[in-house]
Amino acid sequence: MTLFLLLLIATLTVASHANAIDPATYFDNILTPSEKEGYTSWLSSLPAPYPMHTFMPTENSDDGAAVFWNLDEENKEVHLAIAVHAEGWVGLGVAEAGGMIGSDIALFESSSPEEVIDSYVIEDRSRPLVDACQDWNLTDATVQDGWMIVELRRLLDTQDSQDHPIMNDVELWSAPTRLIAAWGDGEMASYHGNSKARLSVRLFANSALSESAALEKSLDEESDGYFEMQEDNYVIPANETTYLDFCKTFDELDIDQSGGISMIGAIPVITEETRRFIHHFTVYIAPSCGPFEFPKSMIYVWAPGDSGFALPSNVGFPMFHNTNAQAINVQIHYNNPSEEAGMLDSSGVRFYYVNEERDEMAAILELGDPLLLLASDPINSGLTKYQFTCPGECSANVGGGSVTVLNEFLHMHQSGVRMTNEVVRGEEVVHTSSVDVYDFDQQGGFRVPQESFELRPGDGFRTTCYYRDGDKFGLDSDEEMCIAFIMYYPAKERIGNPWMCPYGDVFDFLGALGCEQELEFSDLDSVDELERAFGTSNECAVDSLLPSPTSSPITNQPTNSARPSIDLQLCIVCSDGITADPDSFIPGAEGETCASLISAAKTTMLEGTPLCEYVKGIEPLCCPAPVDSSCNFCPSGLSAGNALLEVPDSDGLTCGDLVVYAAAVENESETCSDIMMAEVLCCPEENASTMTCSFCENGVTVDPEYVIPFAPNGETCGYLNEIAPALEADSEFCPQIQAAEPVCCPPTEVIEDTTPPTGSPKLSSTPSPTLGPAPNITSPGGVDIFDGSSVGAVTNDMQFTLILIFAPLVYATITLL
């Protein structure tokens, strides 16, 4: 049977299950039918349903994203739709390794409902970069009733280095397509929290099943049985690094097949509670379970992010068929950096097999430094490059003809940033596999998305690993490795040993075959020398805006609705450069500095968007215009110890921040007036006078920690008592603070309990001063901070308003009725 027919049968088999799950049932675990109405109405309104779909769950809840797709192979396009229970923004991406870094993202924001932004991420997770070529096209978008449903289309291969091509992933021995999604309710994309999801799927084969479920289903149908290799309830030691070896022989596995079996696929069996401790594991077949048994042949390697594999129907790994293959050895590497104790793990591997021998025997070729001969060698700080070269005479001398490569698996550790494996034929590189943005947190080993290819006798290999601030080579997670695993068939061996080309002179027979790798390493001066292909700037290779389709089986909008073009003018901010300290922190921006935020605006934000306008608001801080007379805030300096004192309600501003900010503000400006309000806290000596504000002359008679009812920021009586002496008696704020005296020091003759545990204290019936209605104070964004509307439960015989102004642009009011 030809490989084409086998693939066709596999595709039809999987596709027959494409609609086994009704997409209307997605979100059932978290939403009622009425809450789902916006989503189900969209489903019913489609002229024709999407033939493929899946649900991408979040990690910690039943929430998630429903994703739909259709492949238009005639026009070489993919049509996608995503539905989330949100109203602000949504992003859907094709991820290189399964996480945000190295991903190609289509971003839709409700603030710009007529466009989708084609973007990408290299290493900075905080914000996507805008593509030079806008290749994603918005087909339709619905934002209503708590739902956001966005429909998109794009060429499968845009030939754009800032996009990932969507490859044929139908073969279960190849890498799946890795999708990521995130969403939120704000009008612009921002930190998503738990509203994120990721899933590996096979876009060319299946809709309703995830990659792991589709793989397990296929292996269940094709195999004669399976066996598992696990160490039940192994107690993970409270050490940073542990290697567990366990082995079973053919007799111990109790397999009813004396003539040997063929392993046709494997899936990891991982204990969820201890998944985070499992760094990787390797599996070998050996003559027996002794400690120094050779030859050993690798049959599987797993690292986080890998779902397993299934072989073509004519290929298998032979097991127990001769004296060199009578035992299975599993080695698990546990990484326990916090040295937690008492964790029980039962992880391992499930091997699926058939009883008959298959036509072709599979094997794994190991390149780079699989024997770890570089162990303990130091790695320089900064960016470094290690390149291993296996000469062409190795593949020529090992014997046999050409082989077919099924997949490649690239492995480094935590400081790895990029890895490639090249096939060199003569002087020409005929094949390159790579992971441009290596993400150890997502995939400790990277299965390369690619189609099968041919290796010929005489082909050489060049395996290159790039590191950032590596320490040394070794076994631990914070030490480094550089290994490429190539799964191929038919298997090759020499003198009973599997074909390999390791670094170093270890085995004489390998040296005689020319199968020893040479190593070159160097320090790199810049990120450009990583030679990444993804994310590089280039001219648009194809028309980035696809024409509207003449017929649309997957959209509910008119077919002649052309997508508006996007103005790609990036945010113009601080056009003459940063004139303040570039490392100055921006108040309320979660650790961003002038340098980082201005750089982000100029490279990732579009002119005219709300996010760009927000960044322009920090120009007075980062690139202030020359001022004739700067704001005279605390001219005699801050009070001792007040530089790091945080000003209440200021998004993290300190008194020291205000000094810097004031220097960039005109003295007569409204902003300066706002800043001056904080002098009572930052430098009270500036306002000292012979007549200070008197508050509770006989002291606070309730608990000083008593929180004034409805104070938006938890102001206490003790707090008011501390700040009153910093105010002048004739200041406008003194009587407003004194208005809280009936709460903090009520007349003793009517006090029943001076330390009320809950609720309001017992108050005198004598009315307190009336200061008039509280102003409707708003934040800079126009949102009421406190409007007094929820205060009606307090006694009706008393009314006062306390206004505290502590920070620029932020006013807090407490209204008690």
Side-chain angles (χ1 to χ4, degrees):
M1 187 177 293
T2 66
L3 183 60
F4 173 78
L5 288 177
L6 291 172
L7 293 180
L8 179 61
I9 292 172
T11 303
L12 293 175
T13 299
V14 178
S16 67
H17 299 280
N19 294 316
I21 297 177
D22 183 355
T25 63
Y26 296 155
F27 305 100
D28 274 355
N29 291 341
I30 59 168
L31 299 174
T32 64
S34 60
E35 291 171 326
K36 287 179 54 179
E37 187 172 347
Y39 168 68
T40 53
S41 295
W42 171 77
L43 285 175
S44 61
S45 69
L46 292 173
Y50 285 85
M52 304 178 187
H53 54 82
T54 192
F55 187 74
M56 299 173 61
T58 60
E59 291 183 2
N60 302 313
S61 73
D62 292 325
D63 195 9
V67 178
F68 303 78
W69 68 92
N70 184 29
L71 297 174
D72 180 354
E73 297 193 59
E74 180 180 353
N75 293 313
K76 299 181 180 180
E77 293 179 12
V78 60
H79 300 252
L80 282 162
I82 182 170
V84 293
H85 194 231
E87 291 187 314
W89 63 273
V90 61
L92 178 64
V94 179
E96 184 176 40
M100 185 173 180
I101 71 170
S103 61
D104 169 21
I105 301 172
L107 181 64
F108 176 85
E109 297 173 324
S110 61
S111 56
S112 302
E114 295 184 346
E115 64 185 28
V116 62
I117 301 174
D118 190 354
S119 56
Y120 65 100
V121 176
I122 302 295
E123 292 183 332
D124 186 351
R125 302 171 190 267
S126 60
R127 44 192 165 262
L129 303 167
V130 177
D131 272 24
C133 308
Q134 292 292 298
D135 297 306
W136 282 105
N137 293 256
L138 183 64
T139 304
D140 196 13
T142 301
V143 183
Q144 64 181 19
D145 300 328
W147 287 92
M148 177 172 287
I149 303 169
V150 180
E151 298 180 76
L152 313 159
R153 70 190 227 276
R154 198 203 82 175
L155 290 175
L156 294 171
D157 185 359
T158 64
Q159 303 174 40
D160 179 356
S161 62
Q162 294 171 348
D163 293 336
H164 287 308
I166 297 174
M167 304 185 67
N168 190 328
D169 54 11
V170 69
E171 300 170 336
L172 293 178
W173 54 86
S174 65
T177 300
R178 304 169 181 112
L179 298 179
I180 59 171
W183 57 92
D185 288 321
E187 288 189 351
M188 300 173 298
S190 57
Y191 179 62
H192 45 65
N194 291 326
S195 297
K196 62 177 181 177
R198 63 175 182 169
L199 193 68
S200 294
V201 298
R202 295 197 178 273
L203 295 179
F204 282 74
N206 175 42
S207 64
L209 298 178
S210 67
E211 152 67 3
S212 57
L215 183 61
E216 185 172 351
K217 176 177 175 51
S218 176
L219 288 170
D220 280 337
E221 292 175 348
E222 294 184 18
S223 67
D224 292 326
Y226 67 81
F227 64 90
E228 294 183 348
M229 290 283 295
Q230 295 171 277
E231 190 79 354
D232 292 337
N233 290 324
Y234 173 72
V235 181
I236 301 174
N239 302 320
E240 181 173 353
T241 299
T242 300
Y243 280 85
L244 168 68
D245 274 281
F246 58 95
C247 180
K248 289 185 179 181
T249 65
F250 173 74
D251 293 334
E252 292 174 303
L253 291 170
D254 193 26
I255 298 173
D256 186 19
Q257 181 67 19
S258 59
I261 59 176
S262 290
M263 188 263 283
I264 64 169
I267 61 174
V269 180
I270 307 298
T271 303
E272 285 301 321
E273 293 77 10
T274 50
R275 177 183 289 272
R276 68 186 186 279
F277 299 108
I278 305 173
H279 176 277
H280 75 273
F281 56 72
T282 53
V283 185
Y284 294 86
I285 193 161
S288 70
C289 286
F292 302 106
E293 291 295 329
F294 291 99
K296 283 187 175 181
S297 298
M298 176 175 284
I299 57 174
Y300 185 43
V301 56
W302 177 89
D306 181 55
S307 299
F309 70 94
L311 293 170
S313 62
N314 63 329
V315 181
F317 279 97
M319 290 180 167
F320 318 121
H321 60 297
N322 62 36
T323 56
N324 285 337
Q326 291 298 307
I328 304 260
N329 174 238
V330 178
Q331 184 184 78
I332 299 181
H333 174 189
Y334 292 103
N335 181 39
N336 186 6
S338 57
E339 300 185 350
E340 295 183 41
M343 304 304 296
L344 300 179
D345 182 60
S346 297
S347 298
V349 192
R350 177 183 297 173
F351 295 105
Y352 289 84
Y353 64 88
V354 292
N355 294 324
E356 69 277 3
E357 183 176 324
R358 286 194 161 178
D359 295 337
E360 303 287 357
M361 295 171 54
I364 294 178
L365 168 64
E366 300 174 64
L367 300 170
D369 185 24
L371 303 178
L372 294 182
L373 294 188
L374 287 177
S376 300
D377 281 14
I379 302 174
N380 293 341
S381 59
L383 293 172
T384 54
K385 173 182 178 180
Y386 284 75
Q387 187 171 86
F388 301 86
T389 301
C390 178
E393 62 182 307
C394 177
S395 62
N397 293 338
V398 78
S402 297
V403 301
T404 299
V405 173
L406 295 175
N407 62 54
E408 293 181 77
F409 189 90
L410 307 180
H411 181 62
M412 296 187 293
H413 283 184
Q414 291 176 353
S415 64
V417 292
R418 182 174 187 252
M419 185 172 177
T420 64
N421 192 52
E422 299 170 296
V423 178
V424 182
R425 187 170 296 157
E427 299 296 325
E428 181 185 1
V429 175
V430 296
H431 177 83
T432 300
S433 61
S434 67
V435 50
D436 266 337
V437 189
Y438 189 81
D439 187 355
F440 180 78
D441 291 337
Q442 298 294 337
Q443 286 205 326
F446 179 79
R447 187 143 51 119
V448 181
Q450 61 187 8
E451 296 182 0
S452 301
F453 64 94
E454 180 188 40
L455 286 180
R456 299 177 185 175
D459 286 349
F461 304 94
R462 204 157 48 215
T463 306
T464 309
C465 291
Y466 300 82
Y467 307 101
R468 177 182 284 115
D469 296 326
D471 179 20
K472 61 181 178 180
F473 289 96
L475 294 170
D476 291 357
S477 299
D478 57 359
E479 298 172 344
E480 272 309 325
M481 292 184 177
C482 182
I483 309 173
F485 302 93
I486 299 179
M487 183 181 292
Y488 72 96
Y489 74 91
K492 290 190 174 189
E493 61 179 36
R494 190 72 168 181
I495 319 175
N497 291 275
W499 177 29
M500 65 186 307
C501 190
Y503 167 68
D505 184 9
V506 180
F507 304 112
D508 291 338
F509 74 91
L510 290 176
L513 294 173
C515 293
E516 289 181 8
Q517 296 204 81
E518 297 179 357
L519 170 64
E520 294 181 4
F521 62 90
S522 59
D523 295 329
L524 306 181
D525 294 327
S526 71
V527 173
D528 292 339
E529 293 185 66
L530 293 176
E531 301 177 301
R532 284 174 171 148
F534 180 70
T536 56
S537 178
N538 68 323
E539 296 183 3
C540 298
V542 296
D543 185 4
S544 62
L545 294 181
L546 297 171
S548 297
T550 55
S551 61
S552 179
I554 64 164
T555 180
N556 59 350
Q557 77 163 20
T559 58
N560 61 353
S561 58
R563 174 186 181 277
S565 60
I566 297 177
D567 181 6
L568 288 180
Q569 175 66 56
L570 292 170
C571 188
I572 302 173
V573 58
C574 287
S575 55
D576 294 328
I578 298 173
T579 55
D581 181 0
D583 295 325
S584 298
F585 287 101
I586 307 302
E590 298 183 352
E592 296 284 1
T593 63
C594 284
S596 65
L597 203 54
I598 298 298
S599 174
K602 290 182 175 181
T603 58
T604 71
M605 301 174 191
L606 296 179
E607 181 68 21
T609 62
L611 198 56
C612 175
E613 295 304 312
Y614 164 76
V615 177
K616 288 184 177 183
I618 68 167
E619 285 186 323
L621 181 61
C622 297
C623 46
V627 296
D628 296 331
S629 178
S630 61
C631 186
N632 196 30
F633 175 70
C634 291
S636 301
L638 301 175
S639 300
N642 279 6
L644 299 179
L645 181 63
E646 185 171 320
V647 178
D649 303 323
S650 65
D651 287 333
L653 278 169
T654 66
C655 291
D657 293 330
L658 292 187
V659 171
V660 176
Y661 200 7
V665 175
E666 290 282 356
N667 192 42
E668 301 299 323
S669 67
E670 182 178 349
T671 301
C672 179
S673 299
D674 295 333
I675 293 175
M676 296 296 291
M677 299 297 183
E679 283 192 336
V680 298
L681 187 66
C682 299
C683 50
E685 297 85 354
E686 296 290 345
N687 296 284
S689 67
T690 56
M691 294 292 292
T692 60
C693 183
S694 173
F695 178 74
C696 289
E697 291 185 1
N698 296 320
V700 174
T701 55
V702 299
D703 184 352
E705 299 301 318
Y706 177 71
V707 177
I708 299 171
F710 307 105
N713 298 290
E715 286 83 2
T716 65
C717 289
Y719 178 73
L720 296 186
N721 193 45
E722 290 178 4
I723 68 170
L727 299 173
E728 296 181 12
D730 58 355
S731 73
E732 61 179 304
F733 303 111
C734 183
Q736 295 170 1
I737 289 180
Q738 288 173 338
E741 287 183 334
V743 174
C744 299
C745 46
T748 56
E749 64 271 13
V750 297
I751 294 179
E752 298 178 9
D753 183 358
T754 60
T755 57
T758 59
S760 302
K762 304 295 184 180
L763 302 175
S764 167
S765 60
T766 304
S768 63
T770 300
L771 303 180
N776 185 23
I777 306 297
T778 64
S779 68
V783 180
D784 289 352
I785 295 176
F786 185 76
D787 63 9
S789 62
S790 61
V791 194
V794 183
T795 53
N796 294 325
D797 60 351
M798 173 180 182
Q799 174 181 352
F800 69 87
T801 301
L802 174 62
I803 302 177
L804 303 175
I805 305 178
F806 292 131
L809 308 179
V810 181
Y811 298 76
T813 76
I814 305 170
T815 302
L816 185 61
L817 298 175

